[in-house]
Amino acid sequence: MKRVLNSLILSCACMVLVLAPLSAHAEELIVSAAASLTDAFTDIEPGFEKANPGVDVVMNFAASGALYRQIEQGAPADVFASANPKWMQKAVDNGFVDKANVVTFAQNALVLAVPADNPAGVKSLDDLKGDAVKSIGIGTPETVPAGQYAKSALTAQKLYTTLEPKMIFGESVRQVLDYLSRGEVDCGFVYKTDAVKAGDAVAIVAEIPLEKPVSYPIAVLKNSTNSKMAQAFVDYVQSEEGMTLLEARGFKRP
Amino acid sequence: MDFSWFKVGPEFLQPLLLTLKVAGLATAAATVIGVAMAYVLTRWRFALRDFVDAVCTLPLVMPPTVLGYYLLVIIGRRGFLGKWLQEVFGITLMFTWQGAVIAATVVAFPLVFKSARAALEGVGKQYEDAARTLGLGEAAVFLRVSLPLAFRGVVAGTMLAFARALGEFGATLMVAGNLPGRTQTLSLAVYSAVQAGDDALANSLVLIISCVCVFILVTTSRLLQPKF
């Protein structure tokens, strides 16, 4: 009898532990942000939470295209920060975001980078055609903005179709960066901020000229259950504190 | 009838054929190694037996991404095995369908190993001993007595392993990448189709993989039913 009672108590205790997170009391703010914003937004989070006690910011980092698809499927999110205007435009077109609310809060540059030891001896974009280069890391253009920018730039220089057989498509710009720092690809296209983050493991070969600069739009989602707090977050990102943190990670002011 | 939710084209056939190739080869490799390991652990007594058994079962419980990371560290260009393969044979496994086969083999292996071990444990030692007294060598005893008696369990394990290899995602993505036409297997194609908003393609891929898996599960359960 005693053993039965004990196991009952134990299982109740387990249930309580399992269900506890479901009854959290802090206000949750879900921010869906592009993978390339990971470090900057992780820096911004504590400052915002300090300024707004009782708010728990939950960051959801992935490729912008994947984030948009989540929003489209009805995933709860309060703020959407995309790595290019394309996905934000889609969000506007399909009624998830109010056009008047969209602001560009940061800019970035696209670079051609190599692993520190530069195994293929890449010195310029033209070297990519050479036999020494066997693999080129690039984000999947359909879903990863960094890949989309790289594809446009390469298409403009009539290089994309030539280089396509060598391309290794990453699920996000961060995966491409990881392949670069491990030396799994000979070179790759990442943002300047990513290359800065990788430190000594990755070297920048060249900045890729783009028709339009890499710009990051941010907006409160219409379905946000807490749009006032979401707007406060968007404002905080654009405040002097937010901008300083973004610049520290290699972003430029718009 | 509206068939717009369904799509069959090159973007559908390519991943399907590649998946069958990868899963087939991975299952073959996992079966050979798995049955051999199972036989060794059932018939021999040695110090680290339980530890070896645990290591062989590990991929069953480990998150695929963890396995993927291990594989990255081992067969990546700078991994100890990857580096050696590169220097000695000039082989790179990263981002190739062969790399996908290795990832799928690792995840499928424990299923064969576990089923084969259970089946071999169930083979009475007296049959093997009888065969030995009749003059059969060890290899012949295994091939002509133990394996036929454990056959149904081994086949069931093999089929489960095939189903598991079909659906491998995490480790494959990390080691072989998601390269359309080169390493994009069914599960990766589903992922990409959903990401890109191509629901028709996702539907048809999901339908195929579901049918194959249901067929495999029904067949294995029938195989494992005791015969009276």
Side-chain angles (χ1 to χ4, degrees):
Chain A
M1 190 64 215
K2 201 165 171 195
R3 276 175 54 194
V4 173
L5 204 66
N6 272 344
S7 59
L8 260 179
I9 290 170
L10 195 67
S11 44
C12 284
C14 286
M15 289 284 282
V16 168
L17 281 175
V18 168
L19 295 175
L22 296 179
S23 57
H25 279 303
E27 263 188 285
E28 264 193 5
L29 191 73
I30 300 173
V31 177
S32 286
S36 48
L37 291 165
T38 303
D39 300 298
F41 272 29
T42 307
D43 293 347
I44 284 173
E45 189 184 335
F48 177 75
E49 284 176 350
K50 212 184 225 159
N52 300 274
V55 179
D56 179 21
V57 178
V58 180
M59 291 287 180
N60 172 26
F61 296 114
S64 306
L67 293 172
Y68 171 73
R69 293 286 294 165
Q70 288 171 1
I71 292 164
E72 201 180 34
Q73 303 293 339
D78 300 293
V79 177
F80 178 37
S82 156
N84 75 354
K86 173 184 150 185
W87 292 106
M88 189 58 86
Q89 191 53 49
K90 266 198 185 295
V92 169
D93 293 343
N94 292 305
F96 300 110
V97 165
D98 199 344
K99 193 168 170 45
N101 275 335
V102 180
V103 278
T104 298
F105 68 96
Q107 285 188 345
N108 205 340
L110 186 77
V111 296
L112 171 63
V114 291
D117 53 357
N118 199 352
V122 177
K123 291 192 185 60
S124 72
L125 200 54
D126 277 333
D127 291 348
L128 269 49
K129 285 183 294 198
D131 288 338
V133 175
K134 301 261 187 297
S135 52
I136 305 165
I138 180 173
T140 308
E142 289 76 31
T143 50
V144 185
Q148 180 69 48
Y149 284 117
K151 185 179 176 175
S152 321
L154 290 171
T155 310
Q157 304 211 25
K158 305 267 187 297
L159 282 170
Y160 190 80
T161 36
T162 322
L163 298 177
E164 202 172 8
K166 298 182 182 182
M167 286 182 184
I168 304 295
F169 296 99
E171 289 310 306
S172 80
V173 71
R174 281 301 164 93
Q175 193 180 20
V176 178
L177 182 71
D178 182 57
Y179 286 149
L180 277 171
S181 34
R182 286 176 193 285
E184 302 296 357
V185 289
D186 294 328
C187 60
F189 294 97
V190 291
Y191 293 123
K192 189 175 169 189
T193 49
D194 297 317
V196 167
K197 177 195 161 61
D200 296 340
V202 170
I204 296 176
V205 171
E207 198 165 306
I208 307 294
L210 298 171
E211 281 173 36
K212 287 191 228 120
V214 180
S215 59
Y216 287 73
I218 190 168
V220 174
L221 288 158
K222 276 187 193 167
N223 291 346
S224 169
T225 45
N226 192 349
S227 47
K228 215 169 98 208
M229 199 46 80
Q231 190 56 52
F233 182 84
V234 172
D235 294 342
Y236 186 82
V237 168
Q238 297 174 84
S239 69
E240 199 49 43
E241 296 104 20
M243 279 298 142
T244 311
L245 291 170
L246 280 160
E247 278 179 328
R249 289 291 182 176
F251 288 96
K252 292 193 291 249
R253 290 178 191 239
Chain B
M1 276 300 273
D2 174 30
F3 280 113
S4 63
W5 58 273
F6 191 83
K7 175 159 142 186
V8 179
E11 67 272 76
F12 168 82
L13 284 174
Q14 229 168 14
L16 181 65
L17 294 173
L18 179 71
T19 305
L20 292 174
K21 179 165 83 172
V22 168
L25 285 168
T27 308
T31 303
V32 172
I33 309 168
V35 172
M37 273 317 273
Y39 188 74
V40 166
L41 289 186
T42 351
R43 292 291 177 264
W44 296 358
R45 300 266 175 270
F46 54 93
L48 289 172
R49 214 164 69 121
D50 291 342
F51 177 74
V52 174
D53 184 272
V55 171
C56 290
T57 315
L58 213 49
L60 199 59
V61 290
M62 278 245 216
T65 45
V66 174
L67 293 174
Y69 181 73
Y70 272 125
L71 287 172
L72 259 186
V73 174
I74 296 166
I75 65 172
R77 268 191 186 177
R78 290 179 189 165
F80 59 92
L81 197 62
K83 209 173 174 135
W84 178 77
L85 284 172
Q86 177 82 36
E87 279 162 6
V88 180
F89 303 102
I91 300 173
T92 327
L93 289 167
M94 287 293 293
F95 312 123
T96 59
W97 65 266
Q98 290 91 338
V101 171
I102 289 175
T105 304
V106 171
V107 298
F109 168 80
L111 289 160
V112 179
F113 169 75
K114 276 283 170 208
S115 317
R117 194 167 171 189
L120 286 167
E121 297 276 11
V123 174
K125 208 163 165 358
Q126 65 272 32
Y127 297 118
E128 290 176 7
D129 289 337
R132 285 191 187 99
T133 57
L134 294 169
L136 280 187
E138 280 309 307
V141 169
F142 173 71
L143 287 174
R144 292 173 59 183
V145 180
S146 323
L147 197 57
L149 285 169
F151 196 66
R152 287 166 68 213
V154 172
V155 171
T158 302
M159 292 190 78
L160 281 178
F162 183 72
R164 178 72 186 83
L166 271 188
E168 216 309 299
F169 180 86
T172 311
L173 180 62
M174 286 168 88
V175 177
N178 182 5
L179 310 176
R182 281 189 284 164
T183 62
Q184 192 176 66
T185 55
L186 269 179
S187 46
L188 290 163
V190 170
Y191 179 76
S192 291
V194 173
Q195 297 285 310
D198 192 344
D199 286 356
L201 181 59
N203 289 339
S204 40
L205 291 166
V206 166
L207 191 71
I208 286 286
I209 207 160
S210 306
C211 289
V212 172
C213 286
V214 167
F215 171 77
I216 286 175
L217 290 172
V218 169
T219 316
T220 44
S221 72
R222 294 191 64 164
L223 268 174
L224 288 174
Q225 275 161 11
K227 279 204 195 110
F228 293 114

